[in-house]
Amino acid sequence: QWPFEEFPHGDMVVELRGTGPADGVSIFQGDFFGMTPEVMGGRFAAAYDRASMVALPPEMLGQYASHLTSLLQPGAKVLLVTTEYPTSEADAPPFDLRESSIQAAYPDGQIVQLQLRALVKDGVKLAGVGAVDYAFSEADLQRMSYFNERVFTVEV
């Protein structure tokens, strides 16, 4: 049984409140830019960003970071997991995300790189590396010279 009850917040956001063993857990689903501290019952001390920034075109990164910061308490930390790879031909997500782009999106943030893992090197997927099993076509593997996963904290 699904241990969550749905509570709509307007047309754009649904809160899933935990019941039973998930009591005290809320998951918010919907338009990220429709989220507000009022809808979410306050500001949070931390956020986990797994591939949100790499899904956005570069021109939206500042808007995204500003909105996320508005949902967090002062001094909150974001655990940010990103990917980087050659993107000269990329016009769709995931987009390459370098530390300089993160710093530009969070100009007042304190950014610390925690980890760097090569997921693909010299066109070969490294076995057992990374939290997600990426599915690459043979053409993708041949085209990529490297594919890295970087983990950062951003204090806002």
Side-chain angles (χ1 to χ4, degrees):
Q1 170 162 341
W2 180 250
F4 291 91
E5 294 179 33
E6 289 190 13
F7 294 88
H9 293 278
D11 295 335
M12 303 292 280
V13 177
V14 173
E15 178 183 1
L16 304 171
R17 287 188 196 153
T19 60
D23 189 37
V25 173
S26 288
I27 298 172
F28 293 89
Q29 169 183 314
D31 178 5
F32 171 75
F33 293 103
M35 305 282 181
T36 65
E38 294 74 32
V39 165
M40 296 171 42
R43 297 179 193 276
F44 295 97
Y48 174 62
D49 181 336
R50 173 69 172 108
S52 295
M53 289 186 81
V54 299
L56 295 170
E59 61 272 10
M60 286 189 68
L61 294 178
Q63 179 185 2
Y64 169 83
S66 177
H67 189 70
L68 179 58
T69 300
S70 78
L71 302 175
L72 299 172
Q73 299 168 3
K77 290 194 177 182
V78 178
L79 180 63
L80 175 61
V81 181
T82 69
T83 56
E84 74 175 25
Y85 61 97
T87 58
S88 59
E89 301 172 19
D91 60 355
F95 295 102
D96 180 55
L97 187 63
R98 304 292 171 128
E99 187 171 354
S100 59
S101 297
I102 298 166
Q103 188 65 63
Y106 291 99
D108 297 324
Q110 299 298 314
I111 298 169
V112 176
Q113 180 175 305
L114 301 177
Q115 188 172 31
L116 166 65
R117 293 189 285 191
L119 300 179
V120 174
K121 186 172 181 178
D122 299 326
V124 177
K125 182 175 185 278
L126 300 177
V129 178
V132 174
D133 185 20
Y134 294 94
F136 296 113
S137 70
E138 190 63 34
D140 287 338
L141 287 172
Q142 290 176 359
R143 180 175 50 87
M144 290 187 226
S145 61
Y146 69 92
F147 193 108
N148 293 326
E149 177 179 79
R150 290 185 186 267
V151 180
F152 297 91
T153 58
V154 181
E155 185 173 334
V156 296

